[in-house]
Amino acid sequence: MSSDQKVDASSLLVTTIKGVGEKLSQSLLRLGIKTVEDLLFHFPIGYQDKTKLKKIAELVPEEDFVIQGVVEKVSQTFVPRKMLLVKLKDGTGHIYIRFFYYFPGLRNIFKEGSELQVSGTGRLGRYGLETIHPEYEVIKNNEFKPQILPKYPLTKGITHQKLRKLMVEAMNLVKENKIEIFDYLPKHEFNSLNQSIIDIHSPNPNSNIEDYLIGGESPARKRIGLEEIVANKISYLSIKEQNKNRIADKFEDDSLAKKILSDLPFELTSDQKSAYNEICKDITVGSPMLRLLQGDVGSGKTIVAALIAAHVVANGKQVAILAPTTILANQHFQNFVNWFGNDGQVELLTSKIPAKERRAKYEKILSGQAKIIIGTHAVFQEDVSYDNLSLVIYDEQHRFGVSQRLKLKEKADNYPHQLLLSATPIPRTMAMSVLSGLDISTIRSLPPNRIPIVTTTLPNNRRDALISRIKSAISDNSQVYWVCPLIDESESGLTGIEDLEKILSQEFNKNEYDIIHGKMKDGDKQKILEDFKNKKTKILLATTVIEVGIDVPDANIMVIENSERFGLAQLHQLRGRVGRGTKDSFCILMHSDDPTGLAEQRLKIITETSDGFVIAEEDLKLRGPGDILGLSQTGLPSFTFFDLLANKELQKEADRLANEIVKMPAEQQRRIVERWFPAHLELSDV
Ligand code: ADP
Ligand code: MG
């Protein structure tokens, strides 16, 4: 094949790669990988350092290593479970290797006297240093080949070994000039995209690993980081640019909003008022609004959104409100019925509603009888058609992807107004550089007479103190959220929801607590929440399902287990579930007996401040280069690649390019965005 016949990698399905069958392609799809380009855009989240050979005596628990040694002893045990136990030694010491799953042939590789190279992570076992399921190879003439191997986000059915192999196949196609990853950026001075992608997956073993991590100095990292930040900028900028020439409905009639306001049991805060006024201006100028309303948990964004919705309804047009969970959709539904009345104008639409009932709702939406349609993803399913959708409100916007937003837009005749609500305060530095194109309103202060939440930390070894405190609190009519992170059972020493239930069952009466988690049926969840709201239960043992949208004013204590496992933003969000009523509120952060560096700093910040904006800024500062995974749980625009704070120069260059790109045809802009936010991944991610 000559080079001008190169195939565009985005048009080649990943199944064309050797070894990718039906089953593997399903697993790959879960990672958002459909085409060869998607595969190559599945970037490493770290690297395995196999550049230096170590002696066994030098190994440290929890660190990666590569060693070479001789098998001294092999034994197979069946108790407590089937396992192959290998003792490997070199001149300096020995290490145990355990295999729980293995094929019979492994015993021919690991036999007494074999010389092997083994790489893995050390840990302290019952008999000293050990490692589980390491990588291994038979040594040929004492050779050692330094390597830097990529570590990827994985999913069920895909191992590192498998993914690395596929990546090599795909990279070979690029190297042999058979395929090309199209470069959408206008002229720039950076390395070529194709070469950068090869480098990022297979760094030169002589280079410094840091240079390939977030904020790193390698040309490959910079080139790809540049593109990611451009894609982020474009995702809003291009909408804004196109909106200039679009016509949208004007909504000046504030009669219904006024009526709702006068029925409220409270006054709007001044921040709420100014946010409302800003948004009102947007919807009266005649071009589509694209605005983010940000405000801390409990700052009262919902009522502001409802007032804007009232303008639209007063004009006989429709509003769709999209919530990330069914629980939240239900709660909004109740609030909106309160505000707008119970005459069928407000409809709830979730995928859990039986088909027949749902069809009836579709009719009402199509006929225009339903004015406010509140729901989860169900509100933009293909079979839902609107009469005259004019405003779309996304609650907890960071949970929705760019392409989901595009999808709901298609339901409208005219281009709809869009209002995004976010409880994750976005630091100014980030807002300016990433969310260019998005107008922002901020509710900075909380409604008055909120009593500040007292936050304290408590090590696990003082659990007794916690239990007795909770006992006395619930006998005094308090209600408690008790939250556990979802944890991997292989991790020891952590309290999972089942362990916690055991503890609670010994300490409390069965009817005093309930358990709620994401895997339950919606009806069950709803019932459990009702019981809690009605004070039938005192303690709600929960996973992070309760993170958004639950409003039980009388619950005033929040216990968070393994709090060092949560990001700052998430802790803050969780804490926001309490402090909503008239009682003094407490948040108790349980942590390991001696939290280390970063965990300790995080806990310090969260106990010292309750201002979400300060927390967000601190959170960004604490994230050093290399902390890639963390960002997605902050609710900030999740960069897989580029560390925003790390490189101002790149920022500037990205600005320049983005401004050129928004002048290009919309189709080309869309391709850049979709490369970074694959539509099929976002939509399946429910
Ligand atoms: P969030 O911004 O987190 O979505 P909500 O809109 O759910 O917050 O509001 C939290 C609670 O505060 C609700 O119970 C709401 O009725 C109440 N609230 C909102 N605005 C005010 C206000 N100005 N004064 C008193 N309470 C308010
Ligand atoms: Mg909310």
Side-chain angles (χ1 to χ4, degrees):
M1 234 184 243
S2 75
S3 62
D4 50 42
Q5 284 176 304
K6 277 190 247 181
V7 177
D8 180 348
S10 69
S11 66
L12 205 57
L13 289 179
V14 72
T15 43
T16 55
I17 289 185
K18 215 168 63 198
V20 183
E22 178 65 23
K23 222 172 132 202
L24 185 53
S25 71
Q26 284 305 317
S27 302
L28 287 168
L29 196 59
R30 277 204 300 278
L31 293 173
I33 299 169
K34 215 175 181 177
T35 66
V36 176
E37 179 175 300
D38 296 336
L39 177 67
L40 289 165
F41 265 72
H42 192 66
F43 294 116
I45 48 170
Y47 296 92
Q48 188 184 353
D49 186 353
K50 292 178 71 173
T51 55
K52 283 173 215 82
L53 196 58
K54 286 196 182 146
K55 295 286 174 216
I56 292 178
E58 297 174 313
L59 303 189
V60 180
E62 314 307 329
E63 270 180 22
D64 292 349
F65 63 76
V66 195
I67 50 172
Q68 292 185 346
V70 183
V71 175
E72 183 175 285
K73 199 168 162 222
V74 187
S75 53
Q76 187 165 242
T77 62
F78 293 92
V79 183
R81 57 195 280 204
K82 189 178 164 210
M83 171 169 59
L84 193 70
L85 185 66
V86 178
K87 186 176 179 185
L88 188 84
K89 63 167 188 186
D90 67 7
T92 71
H94 67 262
I95 183 170
Y96 284 97
I97 304 172
R98 294 175 194 271
F99 292 97
F100 297 113
Y101 316 97
Y102 54 95
F103 56 103
L106 194 71
R107 300 202 61 177
N108 295 327
I109 299 170
F110 283 88
K111 56 181 183 217
E112 278 144 37
S114 314
E115 288 185 50
L116 295 162
Q117 174 172 308
V118 173
S119 59
T121 315
R123 62 174 229 176
L124 220 44
R126 200 178 301 167
Y127 308 109
L129 200 66
E130 60 175 40
T131 185
I132 295 173
H133 289 210
E135 287 173 30
Y136 53 84
E137 55 195 283
V138 177
I139 306 172
K140 293 177 203 113
N141 6 307
N142 274 18
E143 179 186 42
F144 173 67
K145 205 169 94 215
Q147 279 179 301
I148 296 178
L149 294 178
K151 290 187 192 170
Y152 296 105
L154 298 175
T155 184
K156 210 171 143 220
I158 299 184
T159 58
H160 268 127
Q161 236 149 349
K162 214 177 256 178
L163 199 52
R164 284 172 187 162
K165 226 172 116 194
L166 296 183
M167 221 50 103
V168 168
E169 295 278 341
M171 283 192 287
N172 283 341
L173 293 175
V174 181
K175 288 180 193 165
E176 291 160 12
N177 280 324
K178 290 187 176 143
I179 62 169
E180 182 178 17
I181 306 154
F182 201 80
D183 190 348
Y184 301 117
L185 297 189
K187 202 170 153 8
H188 57 75
E189 307 272 288
F190 289 73
N191 272 19
S192 89
L193 181 60
N194 285 269
Q195 188 57 45
S196 300
I197 284 178
I198 290 174
D199 290 346
I200 209 79
H201 289 292
S202 54
N204 181 326
N206 296 322
S207 52
N208 186 352
I209 288 182
E210 295 278 297
D211 290 342
Y212 287 85
L213 295 175
I214 259 188
E217 290 296 311
S218 64
R221 186 94 211 175
K222 285 189 175 167
R223 168 63 183 84
I224 298 169
L226 176 75
E227 177 150 334
E228 180 170 24
I229 200 149
V230 167
N232 269 279
K233 282 175 186 292
I234 296 292
S235 74
Y236 292 112
L237 261 186
S238 75
I239 297 176
K240 175 151 184 165
E241 186 72 19
Q242 290 159 40
N243 277 1
K244 281 186 197 156
N245 307 319
R246 289 183 174 126
I247 294 170
D249 298 323
K250 295 183 186 180
F251 298 107
E252 280 158 2
D253 184 346
D254 65 353
S255 54
L256 184 55
K258 278 222 169 84
K259 181 179 176 307
I260 291 174
L261 259 179
S262 66
D263 288 347
L264 283 180
F266 51 74
E267 277 265 319
L268 292 190
T269 62
S270 63
D271 281 358
Q272 281 172 314
K273 279 183 200 152
S274 44
Y276 169 61
N277 288 332
E278 277 168 7
I279 304 169
C280 275
K281 271 196 203 122
D282 283 359
I283 56 171
T284 51
V285 292
S287 65
M289 156 171 79
L290 181 62
R291 183 174 286 272
L292 177 77
L293 173 58
Q294 62 169 347
D296 221 331
V297 200
S299 59
K301 297 179 290 292
T302 321
I303 183 65
V304 176
L307 294 172
I308 298 302
H311 281 240
V312 176
V313 173
N315 269 272
K317 298 285 171 83
Q318 288 174 309
V319 182
I321 301 174
L322 199 54
T325 64
T326 330
I327 297 179
L328 192 51
N330 274 304
Q331 193 169 295
H332 281 330
F333 176 69
Q334 280 160 18
N335 279 330
F336 275 72
V337 166
N338 264 343
W339 293 323
F340 287 83
N342 197 7
D343 57 0
Q345 277 196 101
V346 187
E347 267 300 340
L348 179 67
L349 198 58
T350 67
S351 51
K352 304 291 157 53
I353 293 170
K356 197 172 153 207
E357 209 179 311
R358 191 135 37 109
R359 271 196 302 275
K361 289 178 185 243
Y362 290 169
E363 300 256 303
K364 285 178 67 187
I365 296 170
L366 183 60
S367 73
Q369 195 191 341
K371 291 285 183 255
I372 300 180
I373 297 91
I374 301 175
T376 51
H377 298 81
V379 303
F380 59 75
Q381 294 308 308
E382 257 158 51
D383 32 9
V384 189
S385 306
Y386 291 80
D387 177 31
N388 50 27
L389 179 62
S390 299
L391 168 66
V392 184
I393 298 171
Y394 302 85
D395 196 12
E396 308 295 342
Q397 62 92 24
H398 63 276
R399 293 175 174 243
F400 297 98
V402 173
S403 60
Q404 287 174 325
R405 293 204 295 271
L406 296 176
K407 190 128 183 176
L408 196 45
K409 232 162 39 200
E410 287 163 8
K411 300 270 181 197
D413 294 338
N414 258 336
Y415 204 89
H417 295 290
Q418 299 189 74
L419 180 62
L420 320 180
L421 311 184
S422 169
T424 308
I426 296 173
R428 252 177 67 83
T429 35
M430 188 173 249
M432 285 185 346
S433 53
V434 188
L435 304 180
S436 27
L438 199 58
D439 295 312
I440 300 183
S441 295
T442 303
I443 303 180
R444 178 99 206 196
S445 56
L446 296 183
N449 57 39
R450 286 279 160 82
I451 303 165
I453 305 161
V454 178
T455 304
T456 49
T457 56
L458 197 67
N460 287 331
N461 60 22
R462 301 216 25 228
R463 187 168 291 281
D464 287 354
L466 174 72
I467 303 264
S468 60
R469 184 164 166 196
I470 299 295
K471 277 184 180 165
S472 81
I474 61 173
S475 68
D476 192 24
N477 232 355
S478 282
Q479 283 183 285
V480 183
Y481 294 105
W482 204 319
V483 181
C484 266
L486 274 182
I487 54 175
D488 177 352
E489 55 188 333
S490 67
E491 295 173 280
S492 54
L494 293 171
T495 316
I497 198 152
E498 280 148 14
D499 299 327
L500 197 57
E501 191 194 356
K502 277 187 211 133
I503 298 176
L504 292 196
S505 68
Q506 283 164 14
E507 302 286 348
F508 299 93
N509 282 333
K510 196 101 206 92
N511 57 7
E512 283 178 321
Y513 65 90
D514 242 331
I515 300 179
I516 187 166
H517 56 76
K519 298 238 164 65
M520 287 177 159
K521 292 202 186 102
D522 278 329
D524 296 345
K525 277 194 234 170
Q526 203 61 37
K527 164 100 180 43
I528 288 169
L529 283 176
E530 289 288 306
D531 285 351
F532 188 62
K533 213 165 185 161
N534 299 330
K535 301 193 169 178
K536 275 197 196 153
T537 40
K538 295 290 181 61
I539 302 175
L540 194 59
L541 184 55
T543 57
T544 49
V545 284
I546 64 151
E547 185 187 353
V548 287
I550 296 192
D551 193 21
V552 181
D554 286 332
N556 66 327
I557 298 181
M558 160 84 46
V559 180
I560 304 177
E561 295 285 342
N562 302 121
S563 59
E564 64 267 60
R565 313 266 306 171
F566 292 100
L568 271 181
Q570 207 178 8
L571 285 175
H572 181 62
Q573 185 90 18
L574 280 167
R575 175 169 65 179
R577 293 305 111 209
V578 295
R580 294 173 169 236
T582 48
K583 276 199 177 128
D584 283 346
S585 295
F586 303 93
C587 173
I588 303 155
L589 303 171
M590 300 300 291
H591 58 79
S592 62
D593 298 344
D594 44 353
T596 49
L598 195 59
E600 199 181 359
Q601 287 182 50
R602 283 216 188 102
L603 293 179
K604 187 167 172 326
I605 292 167
I606 197 88
T607 47
E608 283 175 358
T609 176
S610 58
D611 184 329
F613 286 87
V614 175
I615 290 172
E617 294 274 1
E618 292 296 323
D619 200 18
L620 265 190
K621 273 189 225 150
L622 279 188
R623 290 169 189 283
D627 184 9
I628 313 167
L629 274 178
L631 262 189
S632 60
Q633 66 151 302
T634 62
L636 297 170
S638 69
F639 287 80
T640 48
F641 221 75
F642 178 67
D643 187 345
L644 217 62
L645 298 177
N647 198 325
K648 293 276 181 293
E649 240 171 278
L650 223 48
Q651 283 286 353
K652 245 165 106 189
E653 186 63 7
D655 270 331
R656 184 183 71 78
L657 292 170
N659 286 325
E660 266 186 60
I661 292 170
V662 291
K663 294 184 198 113
M664 294 178 173
E667 172 64 16
Q668 201 153 333
Q669 301 181 30
R670 200 175 54 81
R671 292 182 74 176
I672 298 186
V673 173
E674 283 189 355
R675 173 184 269 174
W676 286 91
F677 311 104
H680 47 281
L681 180 63
E682 289 173 0
L683 290 172
S684 63
D685 183 24
V686 184

